[in-house]
Amino acid sequence: MTDPPSVAMPIAAVIAVVVRQDRVLLVRRANPPDAGLWGFPGGKIELGETVAAAALRELAEETAVEARTEAVMTTLDVFEKDGSGRIARHFILVAVLCRWLSGEAIAGDDALEAAWFTLDALDPSTLPMSADVDVIARRALGAPDHTT
């Protein structure tokens, strides 16, 4: 008997969009997807783990920050392509709005750096960021969306 062919499926993951006063928390990613770019802390959802629990776990692992979850903000599709341009992996990211409770941003796990950013600092022309970080940050901080 032969094994059935493997089926590539989207990978469920979370990003923790943490707000502290007028700032959001970002990490510079060490690993793909988006290695070297600034983005929200996050990662894969483990089997049996809720979206909220995954967001808080990833946040703690990558930054040592504690927060409380408030709501799912949006979802994002991230496609990682191979050398020939075909989709190698498809991530579905669930963006979870969180409010800071305690802790300072210390890079850990797969983060190279961790820092708090104001909206003014989130300029895609000067800060290498993952897609839509500035748009999601604006929404999280209740600022008008300048993309329309």
Side-chain angles (χ1 to χ4, degrees):
M1 179 181 245
T2 60
D3 291 331
S6 64
V7 178
M9 299 291 292
I11 300 164
V14 293
I15 54 175
V17 183
V18 183
V19 173
R20 181 180 185 183
Q21 298 172 346
D22 65 342
R23 298 174 185 267
V24 293
L25 179 62
L26 300 181
V27 295
R28 194 162 63 86
R29 306 205 62 78
N31 301 313
D34 293 351
L37 300 181
W38 287 94
F40 298 105
K44 295 176 189 172
I45 301 170
E46 295 177 356
L47 182 65
E49 188 174 43
T50 66
V51 167
L56 295 179
R57 176 184 52 78
E58 287 288 344
L59 174 64
E61 288 175 2
E62 291 187 16
T63 69
V65 166
E66 292 185 25
R68 74 172 186 275
T69 60
E70 292 196 344
V72 170
M73 295 179 61
T74 190
T75 60
L76 301 164
D77 290 292
V78 176
F79 301 101
E80 192 175 274
K81 297 187 178 181
D82 64 17
S84 66
R86 291 181 300 184
I87 295 174
R89 294 195 299 173
H90 173 192
F91 293 89
I92 299 172
L93 303 181
V94 180
V96 180
L97 178 62
C98 302
R99 296 287 170 190
W100 175 86
L101 293 176
S102 66
E104 295 307 317
I106 300 169
D109 197 22
D110 67 347
L112 297 172
E113 297 178 72
W116 295 96
F117 289 84
T118 62
L119 285 179
D120 292 343
L122 300 181
D123 180 350
S125 67
T126 59
L127 184 69
M129 296 182 291
S130 297
D132 295 328
V133 166
D134 53 333
V135 174
I136 293 169
R138 285 188 176 290
R139 189 179 306 165
L141 293 168
D145 185 358
H146 293 301
T147 62
T148 56

